Every structure is written in structure tokens, then in C-alpha cells.
Amino acid sequence: HWRPQFVTEDTHEDRCHLSGMCLDNGVPALVTSFSKTNAKQGWRINKNSSGLVIDVRTDEVLVEGLCVPHSPRIYQGKSWVCNSGKGELCTIDRGRLTTVARVGGIARGLCFFGDYALVGLSRNRHNFSDIQVDGARCGIEVVALKTGTIVGGLYFDGVDEVFSVLNVER
């Protein structure tokens, strides 16, 4: 089994808060974590800039300094992640994080369809009062990958969070 190098033992404590995982050709590839800590609930201390993406295949930390990252993905040969607390859809290349689009909420949930990304949006969370995205709303926005332009969206009243977005092709 795998665990981050900075976590010293398997325990039922929420130390670094692993928040997402993706596969590459059926093999675990990338994970997101809110922090590089080994202390119980240690990830809560600096959520605004302690997040990271780890390549499970090599144990390499690909990028650090994220704000509650979610939804790592590999698509069209690129590594993608939602820098959730900043409301950003990003790519990762050789340790460099590039913002492709800024979306209208806390970005959690990501899937792709052709040249588009579908990004889940959540409103600001009461239990994360130190993380706020201006004008945050709940829904799904469609981002054109070539331009980073938001080309459409579906928004929900009376719902606060979208956690995952799934593309099921038939």
C-alpha cells in the first residue's frame, strides 16, 4: 500500500487530509493533500497555502503552496488540479503551476469532454471561514481548455456544494 513519505504510520487520524486521487491507465497516479504534516489535524493550521500534489508512482511532490487542492486528473498528457480555495483550474508541468481559468466558486470536481473541462463549484464553506472566493456560487462551469474561457454553466439555488463531476460517455 502507499502513504505519503511524511506520514510515519497508518492511523485513523486525519493528518494531512488526502483530498483526491486519479488513475493513469488504471494505475494510481496523482493525489492531492491539504498539507505535508504528520500531526493529528495538522492540515487545518495553514490551509491557504500548504496544499500539494504528489505523484504516487514516484513519491515526488509535483507542486506545493496550493489552497485546499482537489480533483487531480491526467488528461491529454497533462496533469490537472483544482486549486480549490482560490477558485482555479490549473495544470502542473515540471513543478510549475499554471492557472488555466478562474471559476465562480470553490473548485471541487473535475472531468473533461473533448476540448472542455467541467468544473464543480461550491459556495464558501462555513467551516473554512478563512478561505473565501469572491462571488462563490454552486454549480458546474464549462471551461474551454484552449483559451481558459468559461463558455457556459449550470448553477443551483438551495444547494451549497458540488463535490464531484463525472463524465459518463456512452
Side-chain angles (χ1 to χ4, degrees):
H1 79 290
W2 178 88
R3 76 169 169 248
Q5 289 182 6
F6 48 86
V7 173
T8 57
E9 62 185 315
D10 291 336
T11 166
H12 294 283
E13 300 172 345
D14 188 2
R15 294 180 176 195
C16 61
H17 200 77
L18 294 176
S19 56
M21 188 266 297
C22 76
L23 304 176
D24 186 18
N25 294 317
V27 176
L30 305 176
V31 297
T32 48
S33 174
F34 282 13
S35 181
K36 195 191 247 188
T37 181
N38 193 37
K40 181 179 180 180
Q41 300 293 317
W43 64 270
R44 293 182 178 275
I45 295 169
N46 187 15
K47 296 182 299 286
N48 284 303
S49 62
S50 62
L52 56 147
V53 178
I54 305 165
D55 188 325
V56 175
R57 300 161 295 189
T58 63
D59 270 341
E60 177 186 6
V61 173
L62 298 180
V63 67
E64 295 183 74
L66 303 177
C67 183
V68 296
H70 272 274
S71 309
R73 302 288 184 262
I74 296 176
Y75 184 69
Q76 294 181 344
K78 293 182 181 179
S79 298
W80 297 82
V81 68
C82 290
N83 192 12
S84 299
K86 302 289 184 188
E88 298 172 341
L89 171 63
C90 303
T91 58
I92 303 165
D93 185 23
R94 296 184 196 112
R96 182 173 177 207
L97 186 75
T98 301
T99 300
V100 174
R102 295 192 194 286
V103 295
I106 295 177
R108 296 187 338 171
L110 173 63
C111 71
F112 298 92
F113 186 79
D115 290 332
Y116 299 94
L118 285 76
V119 182
L121 308 175
S122 294
R123 298 184 199 290
N124 292 324
R125 299 177 68 194
H126 67 281
N127 58 341
F128 281 2
S129 60
D130 56 336
I131 297 171
Q132 300 290 316
V133 174
D134 290 337
R137 52 189 176 175
C138 184
I140 300 169
E141 286 187 335
V142 181
V143 177
L145 297 179
K146 293 179 182 175
T147 63
T149 304
I150 296 169
V151 296
L154 174 65
Y155 306 100
F156 308 118
D157 290 326
V159 178
D160 290 330
E161 295 186 60
V162 169
F163 191 81
S164 184
V165 180
L166 179 63
N167 175 11
V168 181
E169 295 184 41
R170 297 180 191 237

